[in-house]
């Protein structure tokens, strides 16, 4: 440990002792003569260590400022050509989300103790930003509130993983858990009139999209071997942050696509869509039938003058592969752009969160065409994280797993958000899709 970190650690211990004495008086007690003497001695020691720490930091800065490059070995036979050249070494690219993963590892090692976690972060070389964030953590009712500068990394990393976010849905902060977005429901009447006619009076009508915080809890089992790794390593950090974001993205996508708004969940695209925009497809027996069905989804938005600023498709992998492999009578691919995740000029999001077991035959699916520029995610920009090495969890197949027995730590991440379109006319859904079944 460096001298600076040593002094910081020593000063923290002195401060803990001072605070313990101060707490006696805060609780209405009275310090004894010995305790008063001890308080004075600790106060003097705190000032002495602070002075030493200031000098040590100044010494390190001066040493860094006056550092000179080490002379490279020279070849006596070579002519003098000025100062030696050194090959440039590119700075290693920082892994997105690494700071979040390191914070999780430090907190898990410290069992949620922010001050101890900050020291662990320093000892393991996680950097000043992680240590400072851990030092300022606030405990919440269900765990630790992640600082916004770190939780924003998680939100950014969700974008490529969550289909609804990736296709261009806009985000809004939830102030005090709510946000209201006004929307125009009916427009003014405009028309030509004669020279002596009165201008007709018309009235615009408005509505509101109200988003309120819905709590999403993700439970992520992480190997204790990974969390206990003592140094900073991109591969370890990538596994940890990948587990966190994948768990959040998977459940979030399901909610934003197909949840019905009950049981404290957001209402998804399927249940925001108007009944007239739920379009049953044909049997898909011919290329022409499939193409007509897809065109109906686009036409549903064009007919109501949707803005179509950021339109896109969402479909299940089975439907995507069917359309990608669809060929005409000459053996040519009907939609060759599907190789680039494009369909009829619009981006395609593929996710297993669109079911393929709907309908009486349990073989139907859905295809969504949405103007995502007209959809909003209202989200609280803080996350809450909690830990347990003893809890059990359901592995998804109905089997209960003990984290203690598996040598795992359960990391619970709680996020708050809501979802909705400003205009419900911006959503169309092809239903009863059996393509590829």
């Amino acid at each position: 440990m460096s001298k600076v970190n040593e002094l910081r650690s020593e000063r923290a211990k002195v401060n803990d002792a001072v605070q313990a004495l101060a707490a006696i008086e805060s609780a209405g007690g009275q310090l004894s003569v010995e305790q008063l003497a001890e308080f004075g001695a600790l106060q003097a020691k705190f000032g002495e260590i602070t002075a030493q720490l200031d000098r040590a930091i100044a010494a390190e800065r001066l040493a860094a400022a006056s550092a000179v490059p080490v002379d490279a070995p020279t070849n006596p036979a070579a002519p003098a050509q000025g100062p030696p050249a050194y090959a440039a070494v590119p700075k290693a690219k920082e892994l997105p989300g690494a700071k979040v993963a390191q914070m999780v590892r430090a907190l898990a090692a410290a069992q949620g103790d922010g001050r101890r976690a900050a020291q662990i972060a320093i000892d393991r070389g996680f950097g000043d930003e992680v240590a400072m964030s851990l030092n300022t953590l606030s405990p919440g009712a269900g765990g630790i509130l992640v600082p916004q500068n770190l939780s924003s990394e998680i939100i950014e990393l969700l974008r490529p993983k969550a289909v609804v976010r990736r296709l261009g849905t806009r985000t809004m902060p939830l102030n005090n858990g709510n946000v209201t977005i006004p929307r125009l429901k009916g427009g003014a009447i405009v028309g030509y009139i004669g020279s002596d006619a009165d201008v007709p009076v018309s009235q615009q009508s408005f509505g509101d999209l109200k988003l309120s915080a819905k709590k999403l809890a993700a439970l992520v089992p992480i190997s204790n071997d990974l969390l206990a790794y003592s140094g900073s390593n991109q591969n370890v950090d990538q596994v940890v942050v990948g587990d966190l974001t994948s768990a959040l993205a998977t459940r979030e996508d399901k909610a934003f696509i197909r949840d019905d708004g009950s049981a404290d969940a957001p209402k998804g695209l399927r249940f925001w869509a108007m009944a007239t925009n739920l379009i049953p497809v044909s049997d898909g027996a011919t290329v022409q039938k499939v193409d007509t069905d897809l065109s109906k989804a686009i036409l549903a938005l064009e007919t109501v003058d949707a803005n179509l600023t950021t339109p896109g498709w969402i479909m299940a992998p089975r439907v995507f592969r069917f359309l990608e492999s669809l060929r005409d009578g000459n053996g040519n691919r009907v939609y060759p752009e599907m190789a680039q995740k494009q369909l009829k000029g619009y981006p395609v999001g593929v996710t297993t969160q669109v079911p393929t077991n709907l309908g009486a035959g349990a073989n139907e699916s859905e295809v969504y065409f949405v103007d995502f520029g007209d959809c909003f995610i209202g989200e609280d920009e803080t996350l809450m994280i909690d830990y347990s090495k003893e809890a059990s969890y359901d592995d998804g197949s109905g089997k209960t797993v003990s984290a203690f027995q598996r040598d795992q730590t359960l990391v619970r991440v709680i996020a708050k958000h809501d979802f909705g379109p400003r205009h419900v006319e911006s959503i169309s859904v092809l239903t009863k899709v059996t393509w590829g079944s």
Side-chain angles (χ1 to χ4, degrees), residues 56-218:
I57 292 173
E60 283 192 1
R61 286 176 181 164
L62 290 172
S66 60
V68 294
V70 178
D71 291 337
T74 57
N75 181 359
Q81 295 181 349
Y86 298 93
V89 179
K91 182 181 178 182
K93 187 177 180 181
E94 186 174 292
L95 175 72
K99 291 184 179 66
V100 180
Q102 291 162 0
M103 186 204 70
V104 169
R105 288 166 54 196
L107 273 172
Q111 291 296 294
D113 185 332
R115 181 173 295 175
R116 186 167 155 236
Q119 187 59 53
I120 290 173
I122 292 172
D123 295 343
R124 295 186 180 182
F126 291 167
D128 290 340
E129 186 177 354
V130 176
M132 288 171 62
S133 295
L134 288 165
N135 249 328
T136 58
L137 286 180
S138 304
I144 297 295
L145 294 176
V146 180
Q148 285 194 17
N149 62 316
L150 295 188
S151 63
S152 62
E153 284 195 23
I154 287 284
I155 292 171
E156 286 303 312
L157 288 169
L158 282 175
R159 297 187 187 282
K161 290 179 178 289
V163 169
V164 174
R165 287 182 185 268
R166 190 177 75 238
L167 289 172
T169 301
R170 293 190 274 179
T171 58
M172 301 280 289
L174 286 177
N175 297 320
N176 300 318
N178 295 278
V179 65
T180 299
I181 304 170
R183 59 185 176 193
L184 181 65
K185 294 178 67 177
I189 301 172
V190 180
Y192 294 99
I193 61 174
S195 58
D196 296 323
D198 294 331
V199 176
V201 177
S202 61
Q203 182 73 40
Q204 291 178 317
S205 58
F206 295 87
D208 291 322
L209 168 64
K210 295 182 179 180
L211 303 178
S212 58
K214 309 292 193 301
K215 186 186 292 186
L216 168 66

Side-chain angles (χ1 to χ4, degrees), residues 268-423:
L269 293 166
R270 170 64 179 76
F271 293 92
W272 275 112
M274 302 185 303
T276 53
N277 278 13
L278 302 177
I279 307 166
V281 300
S282 65
D283 58 11
T286 65
V287 169
Q288 184 58 54
K289 285 184 176 181
V290 171
D291 195 65
T292 299
D293 290 332
L294 294 173
S295 295
K296 286 179 180 178
I298 300 173
L299 186 61
L301 271 63
E302 292 176 335
T303 302
V304 295
D305 293 324
N307 292 325
L308 293 179
T309 54
T310 318
W313 304 88
I314 294 179
M315 61 186 67
R318 185 191 81 186
V319 177
F320 177 84
R321 292 302 168 194
F322 170 83
L323 294 173
E324 185 190 34
S325 60
L326 195 63
R327 297 178 182 271
D328 62 19
N330 297 321
N332 300 315
R333 292 187 184 276
V334 178
Y335 304 112
E337 70 271 24
M338 290 289 280
Q340 284 74 47
K341 296 286 184 74
Q342 294 275 325
L343 176 61
K344 289 185 171 289
Y346 303 115
V348 178
V350 183
T351 175
T352 55
Q353 300 309 312
V354 178
T356 55
N357 60 349
L358 302 172
N363 64 341
E364 296 176 2
S365 187
E366 296 167 338
V367 175
Y368 294 75
F369 184 72
V370 181
D371 182 5
F372 290 98
D374 212 19
C375 296
F376 292 86
I377 299 172
E379 59 192 351
D380 191 326
E381 295 178 351
T382 58
L383 300 173
M384 185 177 285
I385 289 183
D386 201 6
Y387 313 86
S388 175
K389 292 185 178 180
E390 293 80 28
S392 299
Y393 63 96
D394 189 323
D395 66 356
S397 63
K399 182 180 178 182
T400 300
V401 179
S402 165
F404 182 80
Q405 189 175 6
R406 286 276 180 94
D407 190 28
Q408 295 174 330
T409 292
L410 284 182
V411 180
R412 186 184 66 191
V413 185
I414 294 179
K416 296 179 181 179
H417 54 226
D418 199 5
F419 172 83
R422 186 163 56 176
H423 300 102

Side-chain angles (χ1 to χ4, degrees), residues 105 124 222-230 236 240 406-409:
R105 288 166 54 196
R124 295 186 180 182
I222 300 178
S223 164
N224 285 333
D225 292 336
L226 286 178
L227 294 174
Y229 186 83
S230 61
V236 173
V240 173
R406 286 276 180 94
D407 190 28
Q408 295 174 330
T409 292

